[in-house]
Amino acid sequence: MPKRPYRERWGNFSYYLQFERIALVMLMLSTITVYAMIAATKLLWDVLLGDAFLDKAALKDTFGLILTILILLEFNHSVYVALTEHSGAIQARILVLITILVIARKLMLMDFTTIESQTLLGFGGLLLALGGLYWLISNGDRHQREISADAREQAEPLDHVP
């Protein structure tokens, strides 16, 4: 059975679900877009600095802005997927992935001359735990899809009878 257009299904949604969809689109996406535009403008000004752009602090700041924009784009994409796949909320797998990206950004921008070894071990343990969690969630999703595919194959009638 083909899916009905989204506009036709909108009337069947509860008020809360309609509010949730509007809040996701209007508030989150517009906030992300405005912040990314401001960051891109600052990035442009950093590049136009000339020789001062080669300063270590300016390069670190610019690289941090680029990573922030990439993280925001990933978050934006996850909101889009949540809306188009009608899952209602952002999935845990995507949230763990964004968290890994944020921690990796933090590690890339750290000054390793002043950081203590316990802090690095803590970040390493945190990333290892989040990586394991991401693998478990992805493996569970893959297993669930396989079970669903097997159930559909068993439910289909045979086209030919011997």
Side-chain angles (χ1 to χ4, degrees), residues 54-113:
L54 297 177
D55 180 40
K56 182 180 178 183
L59 280 174
K60 203 177 214 184
D61 186 41
T62 302
F63 187 61
L65 280 174
I66 291 171
L67 290 175
T68 301
I69 291 171
L70 290 175
I71 290 168
L72 289 173
L73 288 173
E74 178 62 34
F75 188 73
N76 191 15
H77 176 72
S78 66
V79 170
Y80 173 76
V81 168
L83 287 174
T84 57
E85 292 184 2
H86 314 298
S87 60
I90 299 170
Q91 296 179 353
R93 180 174 42 90
I94 295 171
L95 194 62
V96 171
L97 176 65
I98 291 171
T99 306
I100 291 171
L101 290 172
V102 168
I103 294 171
R105 176 193 176 274
K106 176 74 173 169
L107 284 172
M108 286 181 204
L109 298 177
M110 275 188 171
D111 184 15
F112 289 102
T113 59

Short mmCIF file of all heavy atoms in Angstrom, two decimals, residues 54-113:
data_model
loop_
_atom_site.label_atom_id
_atom_site.label_comp_id
_atom_site.label_asym_id
_atom_site.label_seq_id
_atom_site.Cartn_x
_atom_site.Cartn_y
_atom_site.Cartn_z
N LEU A 54 47.91 32.59 9.99
CA LEU A 54 48.83 31.49 10.23
C LEU A 54 49.22 31.35 11.70
O LEU A 54 49.95 30.44 12.06
CB LEU A 54 50.09 31.66 9.37
CG LEU A 54 49.83 31.62 7.85
CD1 LEU A 54 51.12 31.87 7.10
CD2 LEU A 54 49.20 30.32 7.45
N ASP A 55 48.75 32.26 12.55
CA ASP A 55 48.98 32.15 13.98
C ASP A 55 48.32 30.87 14.50
O ASP A 55 47.23 30.49 14.06
CB ASP A 55 48.41 33.39 14.67
CG ASP A 55 48.61 33.34 16.17
OD1 ASP A 55 49.70 32.91 16.60
OD2 ASP A 55 47.68 33.73 16.90
N LYS A 56 48.97 30.20 15.45
CA LYS A 56 48.48 28.93 15.97
C LYS A 56 47.07 29.06 16.57
O LYS A 56 46.21 28.22 16.34
CB LYS A 56 49.45 28.41 17.02
CG LYS A 56 49.07 27.07 17.59
CD LYS A 56 50.08 26.61 18.62
CE LYS A 56 49.65 25.30 19.23
NZ LYS A 56 50.57 24.87 20.27
N ALA A 57 46.83 30.13 17.31
CA ALA A 57 45.52 30.32 17.93
C ALA A 57 44.44 30.55 16.88
O ALA A 57 43.32 30.04 17.00
CB ALA A 57 45.57 31.49 18.90
N ALA A 58 44.76 31.32 15.83
CA ALA A 58 43.78 31.57 14.77
C ALA A 58 43.46 30.29 14.00
O ALA A 58 42.30 30.03 13.67
CB ALA A 58 44.28 32.65 13.83
N LEU A 59 44.48 29.50 13.73
CA LEU A 59 44.24 28.23 13.03
C LEU A 59 43.40 27.28 13.88
O LEU A 59 42.50 26.61 13.37
CB LEU A 59 45.57 27.57 12.66
CG LEU A 59 46.26 28.10 11.43
CD1 LEU A 59 47.63 27.44 11.27
CD2 LEU A 59 45.43 27.85 10.18
N LYS A 60 43.70 27.23 15.17
CA LYS A 60 42.94 26.38 16.08
C LYS A 60 41.48 26.83 16.14
O LYS A 60 40.56 26.00 16.11
CB LYS A 60 43.59 26.44 17.45
CG LYS A 60 43.33 25.28 18.33
CD LYS A 60 44.10 25.47 19.63
CE LYS A 60 44.54 24.16 20.15
NZ LYS A 60 45.21 24.26 21.43
N ASP A 61 41.26 28.13 16.21
CA ASP A 61 39.91 28.68 16.26
C ASP A 61 39.15 28.36 14.97
O ASP A 61 37.99 27.97 14.99
CB ASP A 61 39.97 30.18 16.49
CG ASP A 61 38.60 30.79 16.68
OD1 ASP A 61 37.76 30.18 17.38
OD2 ASP A 61 38.36 31.89 16.13
N THR A 62 39.83 28.53 13.85
CA THR A 62 39.21 28.25 12.55
C THR A 62 38.86 26.77 12.41
O THR A 62 37.77 26.41 11.98
CB THR A 62 40.14 28.69 11.41
OG1 THR A 62 40.43 30.06 11.57
CG2 THR A 62 39.50 28.45 10.06
N PHE A 63 39.80 25.92 12.80
CA PHE A 63 39.55 24.48 12.73
C PHE A 63 38.40 24.09 13.64
O PHE A 63 37.56 23.25 13.29
CB PHE A 63 40.83 23.72 13.11
CG PHE A 63 40.74 22.25 12.91
CD1 PHE A 63 40.51 21.71 11.65
CD2 PHE A 63 40.88 21.38 13.98
CE1 PHE A 63 40.42 20.34 11.46
CE2 PHE A 63 40.79 20.01 13.80
CZ PHE A 63 40.56 19.50 12.55
N GLY A 64 38.33 24.70 14.83
CA GLY A 64 37.22 24.44 15.74
C GLY A 64 35.89 24.85 15.15
O GLY A 64 34.88 24.16 15.31
N LEU A 65 35.86 25.99 14.45
CA LEU A 65 34.61 26.43 13.80
C LEU A 65 34.19 25.47 12.69
O LEU A 65 33.00 25.18 12.53
CB LEU A 65 34.78 27.84 13.23
CG LEU A 65 34.65 28.97 14.22
CD1 LEU A 65 34.98 30.30 13.56
CD2 LEU A 65 33.24 29.01 14.79
N ILE A 66 35.16 24.99 11.92
CA ILE A 66 34.84 24.03 10.85
C ILE A 66 34.24 22.76 11.45
O ILE A 66 33.22 22.25 10.97
CB ILE A 66 36.08 23.71 10.01
CG1 ILE A 66 36.48 24.94 9.19
CG2 ILE A 66 35.84 22.53 9.09
CD1 ILE A 66 37.82 24.80 8.50
N LEU A 67 34.84 22.25 12.52
CA LEU A 67 34.31 21.05 13.17
C LEU A 67 32.94 21.30 13.78
O LEU A 67 32.06 20.44 13.73
CB LEU A 67 35.29 20.55 14.23
CG LEU A 67 36.60 19.97 13.70
CD1 LEU A 67 37.54 19.64 14.85
CD2 LEU A 67 36.34 18.74 12.87
N THR A 68 32.73 22.49 14.34
CA THR A 68 31.42 22.83 14.90
C THR A 68 30.35 22.84 13.81
O THR A 68 29.25 22.32 14.00
CB THR A 68 31.48 24.19 15.60
OG1 THR A 68 32.46 24.14 16.63
CG2 THR A 68 30.13 24.57 16.18
N ILE A 69 30.69 23.41 12.67
CA ILE A 69 29.73 23.43 11.56
C ILE A 69 29.42 22.01 11.09
O ILE A 69 28.26 21.68 10.83
CB ILE A 69 30.26 24.31 10.40
CG1 ILE A 69 30.25 25.78 10.82
CG2 ILE A 69 29.43 24.12 9.13
CD1 ILE A 69 30.94 26.71 9.85
N LEU A 70 30.43 21.14 11.03
CA LEU A 70 30.18 19.75 10.64
C LEU A 70 29.29 19.03 11.64
O LEU A 70 28.40 18.26 11.26
CB LEU A 70 31.51 19.01 10.47
CG LEU A 70 32.36 19.41 9.27
CD1 LEU A 70 33.69 18.69 9.29
CD2 LEU A 70 31.62 19.12 7.98
N ILE A 71 29.51 19.28 12.92
CA ILE A 71 28.67 18.66 13.95
C ILE A 71 27.23 19.17 13.83
O ILE A 71 26.27 18.39 13.92
CB ILE A 71 29.25 18.93 15.35
CG1 ILE A 71 30.55 18.14 15.53
CG2 ILE A 71 28.25 18.57 16.44
CD1 ILE A 71 31.35 18.55 16.75
N LEU A 72 27.07 20.47 13.59
CA LEU A 72 25.73 21.02 13.41
C LEU A 72 25.04 20.45 12.18
O LEU A 72 23.84 20.20 12.19
CB LEU A 72 25.79 22.54 13.34
CG LEU A 72 26.11 23.26 14.65
CD1 LEU A 72 26.31 24.75 14.40
CD2 LEU A 72 25.03 23.02 15.67
N LEU A 73 25.79 20.27 11.10
CA LEU A 73 25.21 19.67 9.90
C LEU A 73 24.76 18.23 10.16
O LEU A 73 23.71 17.80 9.68
CB LEU A 73 26.20 19.72 8.74
CG LEU A 73 26.44 21.10 8.14
CD1 LEU A 73 27.56 21.04 7.11
CD2 LEU A 73 25.17 21.65 7.52
N GLU A 74 25.54 17.48 10.92
CA GLU A 74 25.15 16.11 11.27
C GLU A 74 23.89 16.12 12.13
O GLU A 74 22.99 15.31 11.94
CB GLU A 74 26.29 15.40 12.00
CG GLU A 74 25.96 14.00 12.44
CD GLU A 74 25.63 13.07 11.30
OE1 GLU A 74 26.21 13.20 10.20
OE2 GLU A 74 24.77 12.18 11.50
N PHE A 75 23.81 17.05 13.08
CA PHE A 75 22.62 17.16 13.90
C PHE A 75 21.41 17.55 13.05
O PHE A 75 20.32 17.01 13.22
CB PHE A 75 22.84 18.18 15.02
CG PHE A 75 21.72 18.22 16.01
CD1 PHE A 75 21.55 17.19 16.92
CD2 PHE A 75 20.84 19.28 16.03
CE1 PHE A 75 20.51 17.22 17.83
CE2 PHE A 75 19.80 19.32 16.94
CZ PHE A 75 19.64 18.29 17.85
N ASN A 76 21.62 18.49 12.13
CA ASN A 76 20.56 18.91 11.22
C ASN A 76 20.06 17.72 10.40
O ASN A 76 18.86 17.53 10.21
CB ASN A 76 21.09 20.03 10.32
CG ASN A 76 20.01 20.71 9.53
OD1 ASN A 76 18.84 20.55 9.81
ND2 ASN A 76 20.41 21.46 8.53
N HIS A 77 21.00 16.91 9.91
CA HIS A 77 20.63 15.74 9.12
C HIS A 77 19.84 14.74 9.97
O HIS A 77 18.87 14.13 9.50
CB HIS A 77 21.87 15.07 8.54
CG HIS A 77 21.58 13.82 7.80
ND1 HIS A 77 20.96 13.82 6.57
CD2 HIS A 77 21.80 12.52 8.10
CE1 HIS A 77 20.81 12.58 6.15
NE2 HIS A 77 21.31 11.77 7.07
N SER A 78 20.22 14.58 11.23
CA SER A 78 19.51 13.63 12.09
C SER A 78 18.08 14.09 12.35
O SER A 78 17.16 13.28 12.43
CB SER A 78 20.26 13.42 13.40
OG SER A 78 20.27 14.59 14.15
N VAL A 79 17.88 15.40 12.48
CA VAL A 79 16.52 15.93 12.65
C VAL A 79 15.71 15.68 11.38
O VAL A 79 14.55 15.26 11.43
CB VAL A 79 16.55 17.43 13.01
CG1 VAL A 79 15.16 18.04 12.95
CG2 VAL A 79 17.15 17.63 14.38
N TYR A 80 16.33 15.90 10.22
CA TYR A 80 15.65 15.65 8.95
C TYR A 80 15.25 14.17 8.82
O TYR A 80 14.13 13.86 8.42
CB TYR A 80 16.56 16.06 7.79
CG TYR A 80 16.02 15.69 6.44
CD1 TYR A 80 14.99 16.44 5.87
CD2 TYR A 80 16.51 14.61 5.74
CE1 TYR A 80 14.46 16.11 4.64
CE2 TYR A 80 16.00 14.26 4.50
CZ TYR A 80 14.98 15.01 3.96
OH TYR A 80 14.47 14.65 2.74
N VAL A 81 16.15 13.27 9.18
CA VAL A 81 15.85 11.84 9.11
C VAL A 81 14.72 11.49 10.07
O VAL A 81 13.83 10.71 9.73
CB VAL A 81 17.12 11.01 9.40
CG1 VAL A 81 16.78 9.55 9.62
CG2 VAL A 81 18.10 11.14 8.26
N ALA A 82 14.73 12.07 11.26
CA ALA A 82 13.67 11.80 12.22
C ALA A 82 12.31 12.24 11.68
O ALA A 82 11.30 11.59 11.92
CB ALA A 82 13.96 12.51 13.55
N LEU A 83 12.29 13.34 10.92
CA LEU A 83 11.03 13.81 10.36
C LEU A 83 10.58 12.97 9.17
O LEU A 83 9.41 12.65 9.03
CB LEU A 83 11.16 15.27 9.95
CG LEU A 83 11.20 16.28 11.08
CD1 LEU A 83 11.48 17.66 10.54
CD2 LEU A 83 9.91 16.26 11.86
N THR A 84 11.50 12.62 8.28
CA THR A 84 11.11 11.91 7.07
C THR A 84 10.82 10.44 7.32
O THR A 84 9.99 9.86 6.64
CB THR A 84 12.19 12.04 5.98
OG1 THR A 84 13.43 11.55 6.49
CG2 THR A 84 12.34 13.48 5.54
N GLU A 85 11.50 9.84 8.28
CA GLU A 85 11.25 8.43 8.56
C GLU A 85 10.16 8.24 9.61
O GLU A 85 9.88 7.13 10.03
CB GLU A 85 12.54 7.74 9.00
CG GLU A 85 13.54 7.63 7.89
CD GLU A 85 14.78 6.86 8.30
OE1 GLU A 85 14.82 6.38 9.46
OE2 GLU A 85 15.68 6.73 7.48
N HIS A 86 9.60 9.35 10.06
CA HIS A 86 8.47 9.33 10.99
C HIS A 86 8.80 8.59 12.28
O HIS A 86 7.96 7.92 12.84
CB HIS A 86 7.23 8.71 10.34
CG HIS A 86 6.98 9.22 8.97
ND1 HIS A 86 6.71 10.54 8.70
CD2 HIS A 86 7.01 8.59 7.76
CE1 HIS A 86 6.56 10.70 7.39
NE2 HIS A 86 6.75 9.53 6.81
N SER A 87 10.04 8.71 12.74
CA SER A 87 10.42 8.06 13.99
C SER A 87 10.04 8.90 15.20
O SER A 87 10.06 8.40 16.31
CB SER A 87 11.92 7.76 13.99
OG SER A 87 12.66 8.95 13.88
N GLY A 88 9.73 10.17 14.99
CA GLY A 88 9.25 11.00 16.08
C GLY A 88 10.32 11.70 16.87
O GLY A 88 10.18 12.84 17.23
N ALA A 89 11.40 11.05 17.13
CA ALA A 89 12.47 11.67 17.92
C ALA A 89 13.81 11.23 17.35
O ALA A 89 13.89 10.30 16.55
CB ALA A 89 12.36 11.25 19.37
N ILE A 90 14.83 11.92 17.76
CA ILE A 90 16.17 11.60 17.29
C ILE A 90 16.60 10.27 17.91
O ILE A 90 16.45 10.07 19.12
CB ILE A 90 17.14 12.73 17.65
CG1 ILE A 90 16.68 14.02 16.96
CG2 ILE A 90 18.56 12.39 17.26
CD1 ILE A 90 17.41 15.24 17.41
N GLN A 91 17.12 9.39 17.10
CA GLN A 91 17.49 8.06 17.57
C GLN A 91 18.73 8.11 18.45
O GLN A 91 19.59 8.98 18.30
CB GLN A 91 17.74 7.15 16.39
CG GLN A 91 16.51 6.91 15.55
CD GLN A 91 16.80 6.01 14.36
OE1 GLN A 91 17.94 5.67 14.10
NE2 GLN A 91 15.76 5.63 13.66
N ALA A 92 18.83 7.16 19.36
CA ALA A 92 19.96 7.10 20.29
C ALA A 92 21.28 6.91 19.56
O ALA A 92 22.30 7.46 19.96
CB ALA A 92 19.74 5.98 21.30
N ARG A 93 21.27 6.15 18.49
CA ARG A 93 22.50 5.89 17.73
C ARG A 93 23.09 7.19 17.19
O ARG A 93 24.29 7.44 17.28
CB ARG A 93 22.21 4.92 16.58
CG ARG A 93 23.41 4.59 15.73
CD ARG A 93 23.10 3.52 14.69
NE ARG A 93 21.82 3.66 14.04
CZ ARG A 93 21.62 4.34 12.91
NH1 ARG A 93 22.60 4.96 12.33
NH2 ARG A 93 20.43 4.40 12.38
N ILE A 94 22.24 8.05 16.67
CA ILE A 94 22.71 9.32 16.11
C ILE A 94 23.17 10.24 17.23
O ILE A 94 24.16 10.95 17.09
CB ILE A 94 21.59 9.96 15.27
CG1 ILE A 94 21.29 9.07 14.06
CG2 ILE A 94 21.97 11.35 14.82
CD1 ILE A 94 20.09 9.48 13.27
N LEU A 95 22.49 10.20 18.36
CA LEU A 95 22.90 11.02 19.50
C LEU A 95 24.27 10.60 20.02
O LEU A 95 25.11 11.45 20.34
CB LEU A 95 21.85 10.90 20.60
CG LEU A 95 21.91 11.92 21.72
CD1 LEU A 95 21.70 13.32 21.16
CD2 LEU A 95 20.86 11.61 22.75
N VAL A 96 24.53 9.29 20.08
CA VAL A 96 25.85 8.80 20.50
C VAL A 96 26.90 9.22 19.49
O VAL A 96 28.01 9.64 19.87
CB VAL A 96 25.82 7.27 20.70
CG1 VAL A 96 27.22 6.71 20.92
CG2 VAL A 96 24.92 6.90 21.86
N LEU A 97 26.60 9.14 18.20
CA LEU A 97 27.54 9.55 17.17
C LEU A 97 27.90 11.04 17.29
O LEU A 97 29.07 11.42 17.22
CB LEU A 97 26.97 9.27 15.78
CG LEU A 97 27.82 9.73 14.59
CD1 LEU A 97 29.12 8.96 14.54
CD2 LEU A 97 27.05 9.56 13.30
N ILE A 98 26.92 11.88 17.52
CA ILE A 98 27.17 13.31 17.68
C ILE A 98 28.01 13.57 18.93
O ILE A 98 28.93 14.40 18.92
CB ILE A 98 25.84 14.09 17.71
CG1 ILE A 98 25.18 14.04 16.33
CG2 ILE A 98 26.07 15.53 18.14
CD1 ILE A 98 23.79 14.59 16.28
N THR A 99 27.75 12.82 20.00
CA THR A 99 28.55 12.96 21.21
C THR A 99 30.00 12.58 20.97
O THR A 99 30.92 13.25 21.43
CB THR A 99 27.96 12.09 22.34
OG1 THR A 99 26.58 12.42 22.51
CG2 THR A 99 28.70 12.29 23.64
N ILE A 100 30.23 11.52 20.20
CA ILE A 100 31.59 11.11 19.85
C ILE A 100 32.27 12.22 19.04
O ILE A 100 33.44 12.54 19.27
CB ILE A 100 31.58 9.77 19.09
CG1 ILE A 100 31.18 8.64 20.03
CG2 ILE A 100 32.94 9.49 18.46
CD1 ILE A 100 30.93 7.32 19.32
N LEU A 101 31.55 12.82 18.11
CA LEU A 101 32.11 13.91 17.31
C LEU A 101 32.48 15.12 18.18
O LEU A 101 33.53 15.75 17.98
CB LEU A 101 31.13 14.34 16.22
CG LEU A 101 30.91 13.36 15.07
CD1 LEU A 101 29.77 13.85 14.19
CD2 LEU A 101 32.17 13.19 14.28
N VAL A 102 31.64 15.44 19.15
CA VAL A 102 31.91 16.58 20.03
C VAL A 102 33.16 16.32 20.88
O VAL A 102 34.01 17.20 21.03
CB VAL A 102 30.68 16.88 20.92
CG1 VAL A 102 31.02 17.85 22.03
CG2 VAL A 102 29.54 17.42 20.06
N ILE A 103 33.29 15.11 21.41
CA ILE A 103 34.46 14.79 22.23
C ILE A 103 35.72 14.76 21.37
O ILE A 103 36.78 15.24 21.79
CB ILE A 103 34.25 13.46 22.97
CG1 ILE A 103 33.11 13.63 23.99
CG2 ILE A 103 35.53 13.00 23.66
CD1 ILE A 103 32.67 12.35 24.63
N ALA A 104 35.62 14.21 20.15
CA ALA A 104 36.77 14.22 19.25
C ALA A 104 37.18 15.64 18.91
O ALA A 104 38.38 15.96 18.86
CB ALA A 104 36.45 13.43 17.98
N ARG A 105 36.22 16.53 18.71
CA ARG A 105 36.53 17.95 18.46
C ARG A 105 37.27 18.55 19.65
O ARG A 105 38.27 19.24 19.50
CB ARG A 105 35.25 18.73 18.19
CG ARG A 105 35.46 20.22 18.01
CD ARG A 105 34.14 20.99 18.07
NE ARG A 105 34.36 22.41 17.99
CZ ARG A 105 34.62 23.18 19.04
NH1 ARG A 105 34.70 22.67 20.25
NH2 ARG A 105 34.82 24.48 18.88
N LYS A 106 36.79 18.25 20.84
CA LYS A 106 37.44 18.77 22.06
C LYS A 106 38.88 18.28 22.15
O LYS A 106 39.79 19.05 22.47
CB LYS A 106 36.63 18.31 23.28
CG LYS A 106 37.22 18.68 24.61
CD LYS A 106 37.03 20.13 24.88
CE LYS A 106 37.48 20.43 26.30
NZ LYS A 106 37.57 21.86 26.53
N LEU A 107 39.11 17.01 21.86
CA LEU A 107 40.46 16.46 21.91
C LEU A 107 41.37 17.08 20.85
O LEU A 107 42.55 17.33 21.10
CB LEU A 107 40.43 14.94 21.75
CG LEU A 107 39.98 14.16 22.98
CD1 LEU A 107 39.80 12.70 22.64
CD2 LEU A 107 40.96 14.35 24.12
N MET A 108 40.84 17.33 19.67
CA MET A 108 41.66 17.91 18.60
C MET A 108 42.09 19.34 18.92
O MET A 108 43.14 19.79 18.46
CB MET A 108 40.88 17.91 17.28
CG MET A 108 40.76 16.56 16.66
SD MET A 108 39.86 16.73 15.10
CE MET A 108 39.22 15.11 14.91
N LEU A 109 41.29 20.04 19.69
CA LEU A 109 41.58 21.45 19.98
C LEU A 109 42.32 21.66 21.31
O LEU A 109 42.63 22.78 21.65
CB LEU A 109 40.28 22.25 19.97
CG LEU A 109 39.53 22.27 18.65
CD1 LEU A 109 38.22 23.02 18.78
CD2 LEU A 109 40.39 22.85 17.55
N MET A 110 42.59 20.57 22.02
CA MET A 110 43.27 20.70 23.32
C MET A 110 44.74 21.02 23.14
O MET A 110 45.38 20.62 22.18
CB MET A 110 43.14 19.39 24.10
CG MET A 110 41.90 19.26 24.87
SD MET A 110 42.03 17.79 25.89
CE MET A 110 40.61 18.01 26.87
N ASP A 111 45.27 21.72 24.14
CA ASP A 111 46.70 21.98 24.20
C ASP A 111 47.33 20.86 25.03
O ASP A 111 47.19 20.82 26.25
CB ASP A 111 46.95 23.34 24.84
CG ASP A 111 48.41 23.71 24.86
OD1 ASP A 111 49.19 23.05 24.13
OD2 ASP A 111 48.78 24.64 25.59
N PHE A 112 48.01 19.95 24.37
CA PHE A 112 48.52 18.76 25.04
C PHE A 112 49.76 19.02 25.89
O PHE A 112 50.21 18.13 26.59
CB PHE A 112 48.80 17.66 24.00
CG PHE A 112 47.55 17.07 23.43
CD1 PHE A 112 47.11 17.46 22.17
CD2 PHE A 112 46.81 16.16 24.13
CE1 PHE A 112 45.95 16.93 21.64
CE2 PHE A 112 45.65 15.63 23.63
CZ PHE A 112 45.21 16.01 22.37
N THR A 113 50.29 20.23 25.84
CA THR A 113 51.44 20.53 26.69
C THR A 113 51.02 20.82 28.12
O THR A 113 51.82 20.65 29.04
CB THR A 113 52.21 21.75 26.13
OG1 THR A 113 51.32 22.87 26.07
CG2 THR A 113 52.77 21.46 24.75
#
